[in-house]
Amino acid sequence: MAADIGQNIPEWDGRGSTGAAVGHVPVLLKEAIDFLAVQRGGTYLDATVGLGGHSFAIAKRLGAPGHLIGFDKDPAALEVASRRLAPVVSRQSSVVSEEISERPTTNNQRQDWPTITLLHGSFADLANDQPAATLDGLIADLGVSSLQLDDPTRGFSFQADGPLDMRMNPMSGRTAEQVVNHLDERELADVIYEFGEERRSRRIARALVRSRPITTTKQLVDVISAAARPMNPSERRIHPATRTFQALRIFVNRELDDLKALLVAAPRVLKPGGRLVVISFHSLEDRIVKDAMRDGAKQGLYRLLTRKPVTATEEEIASNPRSRSAKMRAAERL
């Protein structure tokens, strides 16, 4: 999954242009696979399968005896991931969602390929659905995918006009439009401050309430930009709507709640020696991951594999700017 729009911040030229869109590239791929220590024949769960980049690398190492499970809220992402994996998917593989029943693949696929099960839903469901001590590894690559970010109709990006949606699962939950237009001013300011770490949250919330109804990303950007003009050179590096868009997206998709649920479930579902790898893209996520792993280590549940977060190399950042804000932490179940 590509890096998070909220903190992977492109240079802003003051006119709304941030350069050409970057295609999907798995972030910290080599580092993540190395820390996951994929074993042939194991069972691994990709909690945010996205477009299948990390999943494909895992599957190549599992072989026919292995099993790869992938979760994603976004049915469009699951379709892309299933196609990416399909040329080498075994006959046992399936894609499962609320609308998609199990469907076998053709008989002429490569033989040494794991069973792959893709599930439509939040990885928070892991806490209830995955049996205890059954996983050799679990990876979560947080944030928004390039599929979502680069599609104006999804409403995730401030760089193109589109409906104000922002739902990772477009079939359920409140849209960003409903949040912006229905929360009272104080609630809206609290959301922008808590999930976007935006110091000008009250000023922005006041402007949004006065400008209702707001139905498109362009309208939202225009209101925020007028209310929160950069006051100093450091603020001019980023688009003034960046943190508010991040806040609304996190709130709409309950991203931090889902992350906490995943981290609570992880020590239960991992086998002894199983690896947990999490890639985050802003300080709110990284803080939750860091605290959960450190607390788990103090309780004798984990051995920390990363004392400090692993970040992208200069070479990776040059080829994939969205990796700039990525932070990876890893732990081993004791």
Side-chain angles (χ1 to χ4, degrees), residues 40-51:
R40 179 177 174 82
T43 300
Y44 289 79
L45 189 145
D46 186 342
T48 51
V49 70
L51 304 186

Side-chain angles (χ1 to χ4, degrees), residues 18 35 42 56 107 123 150 184 218 220 232 256 260 280 306:
T18 52
F35 275 105
F56 190 87
N107 294 329
F123 52 71
D150 296 338
D184 65 38
K218 185 179 185 304
L220 182 61
N232 57 61
L256 300 187
K260 291 172 184 177
S280 62
T306 52

Side-chain angles (χ1 to χ4, degrees), residues 14-225:
R15 300 183 299 275
S17 174
T18 52
V22 179
H24 173 75
V25 180
V27 172
L28 294 170
L29 178 61
K30 180 182 184 303
E31 294 85 347
I33 298 302
D34 287 346
F35 275 105
L36 205 57
V38 179
Q39 301 296 316
R40 179 177 174 82
T43 300
Y44 289 79
L45 189 145
D46 186 342
T48 51
V49 70
L51 304 186
H54 290 102
S55 286
F56 190 87
I58 294 168
K60 286 195 300 183
R61 291 160 175 79
L62 284 178
H67 186 196
L68 174 64
I69 305 165
F71 280 66
D72 207 282
K73 294 179 182 180
D74 190 341
L78 284 178
E79 286 297 325
V80 173
S82 66
R83 290 196 299 270
R84 183 169 191 171
L85 297 167
V88 285
V89 171
S90 74
R91 286 179 292 175
Q92 296 173 309
S93 299
S94 62
V95 176
V96 183
S97 75
E98 298 165 347
E99 291 77 26
I100 306 170
S101 60
E102 183 172 313
R103 50 189 189 185
T105 60
T106 60
N107 294 329
N108 59 350
Q109 306 287 4
R110 186 184 303 173
Q111 295 302 306
D112 193 27
W113 196 252
T115 298
I116 297 175
T117 306
L118 301 182
L119 301 170
H120 178 214
S122 166
F123 52 71
D125 298 334
L126 172 67
N128 298 319
D129 296 341
Q130 188 66 29
T134 53
L135 297 180
D136 296 288
L138 191 165
I139 183 171
D141 182 6
L142 309 174
V144 62
S145 77
S146 57
L147 177 73
Q148 297 158 342
L149 183 61
D150 296 338
D151 182 356
T153 67
R154 303 296 298 272
F156 286 99
S157 175
F158 51 76
Q159 298 183 45
D161 193 21
L164 196 53
D165 194 314
M166 296 195 192
R167 292 174 299 172
M168 291 180 178
N169 180 359
M171 294 179 289
S172 67
R174 287 188 294 182
T175 65
E177 179 183 345
Q178 291 171 314
V179 172
V180 167
N181 289 298
H182 296 152
L183 291 189
D184 65 38
E185 183 178 321
R186 182 174 180 177
E187 290 175 318
L188 194 53
D190 288 345
V191 167
I192 295 170
Y193 181 79
E194 180 180 356
F195 299 119
E197 300 180 298
E198 172 59 78
R199 292 176 297 137
R200 298 163 293 187
S201 59
R202 297 197 181 283
R203 189 192 315 170
I204 293 170
R206 188 179 308 117
L208 293 175
V209 170
R210 290 175 178 175
S211 301
R212 289 171 173 170
I214 299 171
T215 60
T216 69
T217 54
K218 185 179 185 304
Q219 286 179 277
L220 182 61
V221 167
D222 289 345
V223 174
I224 297 170
S225 298

